[in-house]
Amino acid sequence: MKLLVIGKKGYLGSQVVRNLEDMGHWVVWATPGTTMGPVAEQHLLEGLQNCNVIVDLTQPHQTDMEGSPWDFEAWTKSLLEAAKKAHIAHFVALSHVGVERLRHSAFFRAKGIQESLIQKSGVPYTIVRSTPMMEYLRELVAQASFETSIRVSNARVLPIAAEDVAQLVARRAVAGPTPLPVEIAGPEPLGLAIMLMRYLEALGNPLNVVVDPSAPYMGATLEEHSLMPTGTPYTAYLTLGDWIQRTTDQKHRNGLQNWLSPIKNTLTYIKLIRKFNLKQTTI
């Protein structure tokens, strides 16, 4: 089966592509642009030749390859029109839990418009709504890199790891379309602020977390259950604790590798001198 993945840039997109390829499928990918002119549309249609499925991972706050803002609604319309011309059998879009409740946020409003366009397009589709990803914690920490404290809502969530999202999206892509949104979530309910505190503690980061009910998430002010699934979601297995352990272990491995690199280079140099009986010279 041939699939086109829109939005391969970043960890999530690359994981979706890898999962689909591991299943034995032919995957091509594209990055959205600021507009869909005749040339761009022609290139997209060429990529869609003999394609069965489109997986759209794009998000409203993204930029194009040059870092410019783009028109998310116009892109979605153009992509769906191209899908109709190419007779795509299945259009899969990644959305967010809470879309129907948080329309006061530009992000959620844009995702709601995207969902509506897909549902009215006439193209067979599946909309996958994810709960907040654990990787969002990295964004919060990066945004507060020059601060001593950060304000975060403690709204309840079922955080899910990006690798689990990628796996579940890939599975849905090769399954049949479904008219009702498919919700995916992590295995344990937690508060956003509690999640961040646990992450900072594991990192040894002194950033102070202030619980603030009015603190926005993607521009939205949250009620306690704004980001919780409305039905029975597909549940992933990776817990926040497991994800934090993996993240910190990888950070320590990277740090150790950086520390050892000069030593390894020196040892390699000494071995070469001994092997070829070279003499060190000073210029």
Side-chain angles (χ1 to χ4, degrees), residues 117-195:
L117 289 171
I118 293 169
Q119 291 163 345
K120 296 174 182 177
S121 67
V123 179
Y125 67 87
T126 297
I127 294 171
V128 180
R129 290 179 179 172
S130 171
T131 54
M133 296 185 207
M134 297 171 189
E135 285 72 13
Y136 174 66
L137 297 174
R138 293 175 181 162
E139 295 181 28
L140 286 176
V141 173
Q143 291 168 9
S145 56
F146 298 103
E147 307 292 337
T148 57
S149 64
I150 181 171
R151 294 182 177 275
V152 182
S153 166
N154 203 34
R156 302 279 283 178
V157 295
L158 286 165
I160 186 171
E163 65 181 84
D164 285 332
V165 173
Q167 187 177 67
L168 291 166
V169 167
R171 288 180 184 174
R172 292 306 313 174
V174 298
T178 177
L180 297 177
V182 175
E183 295 181 318
I184 59 176
E188 55 180 347
L190 295 165
L192 276 172
I194 298 299
M195 286 172 55

Side-chain angles (χ1 to χ4, degrees), residues 67-83:
S68 303
W70 62 301
D71 190 329
F72 185 66
E73 182 177 351
W75 164 261
T76 301
K77 288 179 179 178
S78 299
L79 184 58
L80 288 166
E81 189 61 34

Side-chain angles (χ1 to χ4, degrees), residues 208-240:
N208 181 46
V209 177
V210 178
V211 179
D212 181 356
S214 65
Y217 171 86
M218 300 294 190
T221 302
L222 303 175
E223 301 292 338
E224 183 179 2
H225 295 97
S226 295
L227 296 175
M228 293 292 283
T230 55
T232 302
Y234 286 86
T235 304
Y237 294 100
L238 194 66
T239 65
L240 180 66

Side-chain angles (χ1 to χ4, degrees), residues 73-108:
E73 182 177 351
W75 164 261
T76 301
K77 288 179 179 178
S78 299
L79 184 58
L80 288 166
E81 189 61 34
K84 289 174 69 175
K85 290 179 181 179
H87 304 290
I88 293 299
H90 192 190
F91 188 102
V92 181
L94 179 62
S95 190
H96 201 298
V97 164
V99 162
E100 72 281 12
R101 301 187 291 263
L102 298 169
R103 294 298 178 92
H104 57 282
S105 153
F107 172 87
F108 285 98

Side-chain angles (χ1 to χ4, degrees), residues 1 26 29 46 50 58 74-75 96 105 122 132 142 155 199 207-209 232 244 260 262 268-269:
M1 183 186 296
W26 176 17
W29 58 273
E46 290 173 1
N50 303 315
T58 53
W75 164 261
H96 201 298
S105 153
Y199 181 55
L207 188 65
N208 181 46
V209 177
T232 302
I244 289 175
L260 288 175
T268 301
Y269 179 64

